[in-house]
Amino acid sequence: MDTTLTPFHLTGQRILVTGATSGLGHSIAMACARMGADVIGVGRDEERLARTLESLQAAAPEGKHQTLRADLTQAQDRAAVIEQIGTAPLNGVVHSAGISRLAPVRMITEQHLREVQSINVDAPMLLTQALLKRSLVAPGGSMVFIASIAAHIGVPGVAAYSGTKAALIAMVRCLAMEVVKRGIRANCLSPALVETPLLDATATLVGSMEQERGNYPLGFGKPDDVANAAVFLLSQASRWITGTTLVMDGGLTIS
């Protein structure tokens, strides 16, 4: 397929995806590669990174893909990522790495709060800062942050997680205003429940998710649903969109 025939193509673009070895990040990295991008996948697990690189090369062998091992909560690892990217600016960045820890407010510990904040907010913002300081996001580039429906509605047991995703959305609005003069866009995606390993882990903790599935007129999302939206926000098809958040919930909040 000649992807250049559509405004959604990413042909020849350098796209960095964090959390690229599993779940939404992996699906987004694969979708970007299939749409013509050269993908730089970032993750913490060497074996998963190797498998991800094999998958990227198999899906889009013409692409110049690479993977980088980094714990983005660590300053030295963020610095190493910046060095390994090189001097060629990125056309797109997807901040997909994140964690969710279930705990009601009365049981949240200080360590819990700091861990969720560090991974879900501090790491993507500090990596973004480092990229902008080195002018490593190209004019006309796009940054996509993975937020959550939990930032928009009340859900028992996920207060810490919800708070970090709401903070991310607020910060991205401000970031969008700061970088718009360089033609760079910044947006969030807020997916509801998607069939990923994270959902499987949640089901293990709370039991069956079938009752919750009934609240979704269009059912739970698939990783590719979110990946396709990320491709849209990275591509020129969304060139007039910045500072916004796309809620993806299968009709949950209108039902």
Side-chain angles (χ1 to χ4, degrees):
M1 180 179 70
D2 185 354
T3 57
T4 61
L5 296 177
T6 163
F8 299 88
H9 79 85
L10 300 174
T11 305
Q13 297 195 20
R14 296 186 83 203
I15 306 291
L16 183 144
V17 181
T18 74
T21 61
S22 67
L24 297 182
H26 186 267
S27 294
I28 291 168
M30 295 299 295
C32 289
R34 289 194 293 268
M35 292 303 287
D38 299 332
V39 174
I40 304 170
V42 180
R44 293 188 295 186
D45 187 289
E46 292 280 10
E47 290 185 6
R48 286 184 177 181
L49 283 168
R51 290 197 295 270
T52 297
L53 183 58
E54 289 178 3
S55 298
L56 290 168
Q57 292 171 335
E62 70 283 1
K64 300 173 183 174
H65 311 301
Q66 65 182 114
T67 52
L68 305 175
R69 199 215 72 79
D71 177 349
L72 295 174
T73 64
Q74 303 300 310
Q76 66 272 22
D77 282 19
R78 291 194 298 273
V81 167
I82 296 298
E83 289 300 322
Q84 292 175 83
I85 287 173
T87 57
L90 302 168
N91 303 103
V93 181
V94 181
H95 295 280
S96 185
I99 61 165
S100 175
R101 294 280 188 269
L102 293 176
V105 171
R106 63 185 170 81
M107 297 181 66
I108 290 175
T109 65
E110 185 173 344
Q111 180 182 3
H112 175 127
L113 284 173
R114 289 183 174 176
E115 180 184 25
V116 177
Q117 172 75 19
S118 174
I119 295 175
N120 290 357
V121 179
D122 299 351
M125 282 300 158
L126 290 170
L127 179 61
T128 297
Q129 179 193 61
L131 290 169
L132 293 174
K133 280 185 173 179
R134 296 282 192 95
S135 296
L136 285 175
V137 181
S142 173
M143 295 182 285
V144 179
F145 296 76
I146 304 302
S148 169
I149 191 64
H152 306 268
I153 61 176
V155 181
V158 294
Y161 174 77
S162 299
T164 60
K165 294 302 186 180
L168 198 60
I169 290 170
M171 294 179 78
V172 169
R173 284 195 207 100
C174 300
L175 173 65
M177 291 298 293
E178 294 173 5
V179 299
V180 71
K181 58 183 178 294
R182 296 164 63 183
I184 298 170
R185 299 179 293 113
N187 293 287
C188 290
L189 291 173
S190 277
L193 291 178
V194 179
E195 293 175 349
T196 65
L198 186 63
L199 180 65
D200 295 338
T202 302
T204 300
L205 290 172
V206 304
S208 172
M209 298 295 289
E210 289 311 304
Q211 184 176 353
E212 182 63 21
R213 190 186 297 273
N215 295 326
Y216 285 66
L218 295 179
F220 290 161
K222 304 287 186 184
D224 278 350
D225 295 327
V226 182
N228 291 337
V231 167
F232 167 65
L233 289 177
L234 290 166
S235 73
Q236 285 300 296
S238 62
R239 58 166 293 279
W240 207 43
I241 299 173
T242 192
T244 195
T245 298
L246 175 61
V247 171
M248 309 179 67
D249 66 0
L252 170 70
T253 53
I254 60 168
S255 61

